Amino acid sequence: MGYIFCLMGKSSSGKDTVYQRLLQQDDLGLRRLVTGTTRPIREGEQNGETYYFYTDEQFERLRADGRIIESRSYHTVHGIWHYFTVADEQLDPARGDYLTINTLEAYLKLRDYFGTERLIPLYLEVDDGLRLQRALERERRQQEPKYKEMCRRFLADEEDFSAEKLKSAHIQPIFENIALDETLEQLGTYIKSIQNR
């Protein structure tokens, strides 16, 4: 049975970039596990890359069919957005190792579903000032910037990824994402050590 590596971190900690680069490393052999959301697609995003984008109606149908492994709902300044993992054909741990991006809450639910030995956390840490700068730069590039939602998400991360919650969930090691190439080298070495045990 394969592993599911769960990449986590506060908003603008570099998860998307690290995710794409790790998937490109052939020696790791990681498969993409894409979660779903009902939030609007952002400029530059493609369906099936960072997320699968669903309507509220599609999400409710999946839930009614018992195909939602885990879900989280957030009351944003633009309404309720759902994020979730679907039990579908893309997820077959017998076929190899997977990489996904998720929250701590989702990680805990996936860990309960798949088991501690199969779900491996990869947590990225970045200085709050740098994260806020990155978030603002990204939002400015959007056709319709959502600054209020950016601020809500930034503040919510302080609680969602508090030191107490990370400790309680036994999230370690923590990878400081300051220099991307160094971070990728450290993550690659760690992933291989898990794969070879």
Side-chain angles (χ1 to χ4, degrees):
M1 282 296 190
Y3 295 101
I4 299 173
F5 294 94
C6 192
L7 189 61
M8 294 175 282
K10 297 175 181 175
S11 59
S12 299
S13 60
K15 297 183 298 293
D16 292 342
T17 301
V18 168
Y19 177 75
Q20 294 299 336
R21 293 280 296 272
L22 287 175
L23 288 171
Q24 293 168 5
Q25 293 186 27
D26 293 336
D27 58 331
L28 298 179
L30 298 172
R31 302 169 69 88
R32 182 187 307 265
L33 173 57
V34 183
T35 55
T37 184
T38 60
R39 79 152 167 78
I41 192 167
R42 290 182 186 142
E43 183 132 347
E45 289 182 326
Q46 292 184 358
N47 192 35
E49 291 290 321
T50 308
Y51 292 105
Y52 284 112
F53 294 92
Y54 293 87
T55 65
D56 288 325
E57 294 76 19
Q58 289 171 319
F59 169 68
E60 292 302 335
R61 274 199 302 276
L62 287 168
R63 183 156 55 185
D65 291 343
R67 295 181 57 203
I68 302 293
I69 295 174
E70 63 79 28
S71 69
R72 294 139 283 128
S73 299
Y74 299 99
H75 295 265
T76 76
V77 296
H78 302 284
I80 298 175
W81 292 349
H82 305 287
Y83 293 80
F84 47 93
T85 304
V86 180
D88 61 12
E89 62 280 350
Q90 75 165 320
L91 182 54
D92 180 5
R95 292 168 57 193
D97 300 326
Y98 287 83
L99 180 65
T100 186
I101 299 176
N102 243 312
T103 65
L104 181 58
E105 179 185 357
Y107 163 77
L108 293 171
K109 291 178 180 178
L110 289 169
R111 188 179 70 182
D112 289 344
Y113 186 88
F114 289 107
T116 307
E117 64 284 350
R118 302 233 343 261
L119 204 70
I120 309 298
L122 305 173
Y123 187 79
L124 299 180
E125 180 84 6
V126 173
D127 170 74
D128 285 345
L130 179 56
R131 285 194 314 106
L132 187 57
Q133 180 181 340
R134 288 177 179 176
L136 186 56
E137 288 170 357
R138 180 176 68 186
E139 208 57 44
R140 281 183 173 148
R141 290 193 299 267
Q142 301 301 311
Q143 190 170 352
E144 293 181 30
K146 295 178 172 63
Y147 296 117
K148 286 183 183 178
E149 174 56 21
M150 180 201 80
C151 292
R152 183 209 63 80
R153 191 168 59 245
F154 187 87
L155 294 172
D157 280 347
E158 291 303 306
E159 181 180 340
D160 294 344
F161 291 105
S162 69
E164 297 79 20
K165 287 185 178 178
L166 292 174
K167 184 177 179 182
S168 175
H170 307 290
I171 303 299
Q172 52 184 305
I174 291 175
F175 300 90
E176 252 189 281
N177 189 19
I178 298 171
L180 179 60
D181 288 337
E182 287 180 24
T183 303
L184 289 167
E185 185 176 343
Q186 291 169 3
L187 284 164
T189 300
Y190 179 70
I191 289 169
K192 287 177 187 174
S193 74
I194 299 294
Q195 292 172 323
N196 294 328
R197 67 184 181 186

